[in-house]
Amino acid sequence: MTYPTSAMTALPKLVAILVLSTLFASGCQSAPPYDPQQRPESTTLVNTDSPLVTGLRSREAAHEGQSGFYLLHDGLSAFLARIALIENAQTSLDLQYYIFTHDVTGRIIISRLLSAADRGVRVRVLVDDMGTQLHNPLVARLDQHPNIEIRVFNPVASRNGAARNWEILKEFSRTNHRMHNKLMVADGVAIITGGRNLGDLYFSSTNIDFQDIDILAVGPIVPPASGSFDEYWAYPASVPVHLLLNAEDSDTDLATLRQNLSDFLEEQKNSEFINALRTSTLSEAMKDGNVPFHWGNASLLVDTPKKVLEHADLHASFYLGADLKTILESSRDRVKISTAYFVPGDKGVALFNSLEERDVSVQILTNSLSTTDVAIVHSGYMDYRKPLLKGGVELWELRSTAGQHKRMHWFKGRSRASLHAKTMVIDDRLSVVGSVNLDARSILQNTEIALLIDSPAINQELSDIFDRWVAGDSAWSVRFDDQGDLRWTADTAQGRLEEDHDPETSAWSRFKIWLLSWLPIDSQI
């Protein structure tokens, strides 16, 4: 799927840059001068005797050459699975994330990583400098642990303030490209990838409830994934954190940090997540080989890190988006897509409509204006609704109340749902789970990762999840009325709901989105 590459033609260049710097405030830029060859070299450490695989050996024998997959489709399970990998790891832990926050779940993960490092596990953490703005020198102190190394992808030298923003503007063509990958590798034998970053927002612990999908995998799919981590880790844009932050600026040493984290966990002992950790059986299930894996073949879809610094020399065929286009074109019966951000462009619309012309059922779920966490993306998406519907595509937009009943079992108070999943169901065998949205930012600007899975069981499970997400209590069906105007409907237990404009929004918010839709920046959102 290709998208327009020129987004600035109708605006003076300076105005366009200033607009975009506001939209993407929190970017990162001019990296500090350093010699990448001076970084310590390291590659994935594989422990074939890890508890993560010993319990699976008898089952793997019955599925020779195949990988095992376990979907993680709620926030709590996704969190517990990551903790289980950390606690069972004996040799190595590699984490690659766009966002890693210092909130409740983030600190729990940090405490477990520190404990793993203390028992001899090598920990490597690679974070993007836009999603994870590191400014606390305590991070550099953590990096001083002999078994922990932290690198920052495509950073700016300045950590905050006007100097940082100026650096972002000065080298915008570089800083506009981000590492959006989400990957955890444990002992070189088990991985988790998908849509979730690391933080409360992604594990259903805030008033915004992300509907998302991750996948735990073991088997032959792991070496390509760990090899991808190694490629990013060794790429020159991955800068050691001690070149950006000075550990001596922190008044906390590692011993004090351990105590602070211990005190924090004690304060949180009655929280939902600590209670879940206390009662979770997933860690033992991993060691005993009792995780209900589905087995099948898989391929790794991943962008090269060269997409960030060497994009001018890369043909579009090297991008993950080209693989997705080929996969979609191969469909024969049905395509079900969940994408948090959806800006298909004219060529994307043509692709989906061409599938419909071949009698392939195309169903797409994305965010509504009321549920999106990036409103500018909705302005880029809204004008493509009618062309898609005219071509026969079925379109749904998430309702703000989606999943609330289930979530109330865990957390108190009301919440607003938001779609964050990036999945595809193709025919009755193939599935895609990863970090890539169907917008130009994912396809052209950011690096992404996904798994292409050939498993009827995973395909059916994802199809069932999609069907639940597009049911009337979770999503609005977007259709034409008799006059050819858009209408939103939702069939619920209380009856049919109907709207003739973006539901659950004010006239003012719709007006602002309409204004933004005139900006020629489709390739940037």
Side-chain angles (χ1 to χ4, degrees):
M1 192 178 306
T2 56
Y3 294 82
T5 57
S6 177
M8 305 298 180
T9 53
L11 288 176
K13 187 174 181 181
L14 178 60
V15 173
I17 289 176
L18 290 174
V19 169
L20 289 169
S21 69
T22 301
L23 299 178
F24 303 115
S26 73
C28 37
Q29 214 280 316
S30 187
Y34 83 110
D35 181 2
Q37 301 303 318
Q38 298 302 311
R39 299 171 303 178
E41 292 186 11
S42 62
T43 56
T44 299
L45 301 177
V46 180
N47 181 355
T48 56
D49 292 322
S50 170
L52 296 168
V53 294
T54 53
L56 287 172
R57 288 204 172 119
S58 61
R59 297 176 62 190
E60 285 183 316
H63 303 277
E64 186 174 359
Q66 294 186 322
S67 298
F69 305 99
Y70 179 62
L71 284 181
L72 304 165
H73 54 80
D74 66 73
L76 189 60
S77 295
F79 173 74
L80 294 174
R82 286 168 170 82
I83 296 299
L85 287 191
I86 295 171
E87 292 183 338
N88 280 290
Q90 293 187 337
T91 302
S92 64
L93 287 164
D94 296 329
L95 289 80
Q96 179 183 12
Y97 283 92
Y98 176 62
I99 294 174
F100 191 157
T101 60
H102 188 62
D103 50 19
V104 173
T105 54
R107 278 184 276 183
I108 293 173
I109 291 172
I110 291 169
S111 71
R112 294 300 195 271
L113 291 174
L114 184 55
S115 295
D118 286 343
R119 66 174 186 267
V121 177
R122 190 196 66 186
V123 177
R124 298 186 296 176
V125 178
L126 177 62
V127 296
D128 184 83
D129 193 40
M130 175 175 170
T132 309
Q133 292 188 43
L134 299 178
H135 52 80
N136 189 337
L138 186 58
V139 178
R141 182 71 74 190
L142 190 64
D143 180 67
Q144 288 185 329
H145 192 293
N147 290 326
I148 297 177
E149 187 175 357
I150 302 171
R151 292 183 182 178
V152 182
F153 195 81
N154 198 17
V156 297
S158 299
R159 292 291 82 204
N160 49 44
R164 178 180 175 88
N165 291 333
W166 171 243
E167 288 182 53
I168 293 168
L169 292 175
K170 192 169 58 174
E171 293 188 28
F172 184 76
S173 64
R174 176 175 72 83
T175 59
N176 190 37
H177 293 261
R178 307 312 322 163
M179 183 192 77
H180 195 242
N181 310 42
K182 287 95 171 167
L183 177 67
M184 176 183 286
V185 185
D187 280 352
V189 295
I191 64 170
I192 294 176
T193 191
R196 290 184 178 89
N197 294 292
L198 301 183
D200 290 354
L201 190 63
Y202 306 95
F203 299 127
S204 304
S205 186
T206 70
N207 65 337
I208 297 178
D209 181 22
F210 275 151
Q211 313 291 295
D212 214 335
I213 299 283
D214 288 326
I215 195 159
L216 167 66
V218 296
I221 190 59
V222 176
S226 60
S228 169
F229 180 93
D230 287 342
E231 183 182 7
Y232 276 82
W233 186 254
Y235 194 64
S238 297
V239 178
V241 74
H242 66 79
L243 297 177
L244 300 165
L245 298 170
N246 187 353
E248 299 309 314
D249 291 339
S250 171
D251 56 3
T252 302
D253 57 20
L254 285 174
T256 305
L257 175 59
R258 290 186 186 91
Q259 186 59 53
N260 290 344
L261 288 171
S262 177
D263 293 343
F264 170 76
L265 294 178
E266 177 63 23
E267 293 171 3
Q268 296 290 320
K269 64 182 179 182
N270 294 320
S271 70
E272 295 286 350
F273 279 101
I274 296 298
N275 281 330
L277 289 175
R278 194 177 296 122
T279 59
S280 173
T281 59
L282 185 55
S283 183
E284 291 301 316
M286 285 185 179
K287 288 189 290 187
D288 296 339
N290 291 328
V291 177
F293 285 106
H294 295 302
W295 298 85
N297 297 313
S299 300
L300 182 74
L301 309 177
V302 63
D303 279 315
T304 169
K306 294 179 181 179
K307 188 177 179 181
V308 171
L309 298 185
E310 303 165 68
H311 48 270
D313 300 322
L314 284 179
H315 190 269
S317 61
F318 286 91
Y319 289 7
L320 184 156
D323 296 324
L324 292 180
K325 182 175 183 289
T326 300
I327 292 165
L328 289 169
E329 288 176 333
S330 73
S331 60
R332 302 181 307 276
D333 179 42
R334 65 173 184 175
V335 171
K336 295 182 175 182
I337 296 173
S338 300
T339 178
Y341 311 134
F342 185 43
V343 187
D346 292 337
K347 292 185 178 180
V349 171
L351 170 61
F352 292 124
N353 289 352
S354 71
L355 296 180
E356 285 285 348
E357 289 172 3
R358 293 197 286 108
D359 292 325
V360 176
S361 170
V362 179
Q363 300 176 302
I364 300 173
L365 170 67
T366 190
N367 275 302
S368 62
L369 177 55
S370 68
T371 63
T372 185
D373 64 329
V374 183
I376 187 68
V377 174
H378 194 86
S379 73
Y381 148 74
M382 57 190 290
D383 287 339
Y384 295 109
R385 289 183 291 207
K386 287 187 175 181
L388 288 164
L389 293 173
K390 287 178 181 177
V393 173
E394 293 181 78
L395 193 60
W396 286 270
E397 295 176 2
L398 196 73
R399 293 181 60 191
S400 63
T401 55
Q404 189 174 91
H405 176 72
K406 180 180 178 182
R407 190 169 188 256
M408 292 294 284
H409 291 295
W410 300 342
F411 302 97
K412 306 301 182 185
R414 297 182 63 83
S415 63
R416 176 175 68 82
S418 183
L419 185 69
H420 200 254
K422 309 97 169 54
T423 67
M424 295 182 181
V425 174
I426 299 101
D427 299 331
D428 59 359
R429 295 189 62 90
L430 295 181
S431 306
V432 176
V433 178
S435 69
V436 56
N437 292 293
L438 294 187
D439 63 357
R441 173 141 294 276
S442 281
I443 302 300
L444 296 176
Q445 313 296 345
N446 296 341
T447 67
E448 306 286 355
I449 188 171
L451 298 187
L452 172 63
I453 303 164
D454 184 350
S455 164
I458 290 293
N459 178 286
Q460 187 61 55
E461 192 171 349
L462 281 172
S463 179
D464 292 343
I465 292 170
F466 181 91
D467 290 345
R468 291 198 298 271
W469 281 354
V470 300
D473 61 348
S474 294
W476 297 97
S477 175
V478 186
R479 301 179 182 180
F480 287 123
D481 62 18
D482 293 339
Q483 287 73 45
D485 296 321
L486 294 182
R487 183 165 293 274
W488 288 256
T489 63
D491 291 316
T492 72
Q494 292 73 39
R496 166 167 283 204
L497 305 177
E498 293 192 30
E499 294 284 356
D500 58 5
H501 54 69
D502 289 280
E504 304 170 300
T505 61
S506 65
W508 174 239
S509 65
R510 295 192 297 275
F511 176 72
K512 288 189 294 183
I513 291 298
W514 176 80
L515 283 180
L516 288 173
S517 71
W518 285 89
L519 291 176
I521 56 174
D522 275 13
S523 69
Q524 299 296 320
I525 56 177

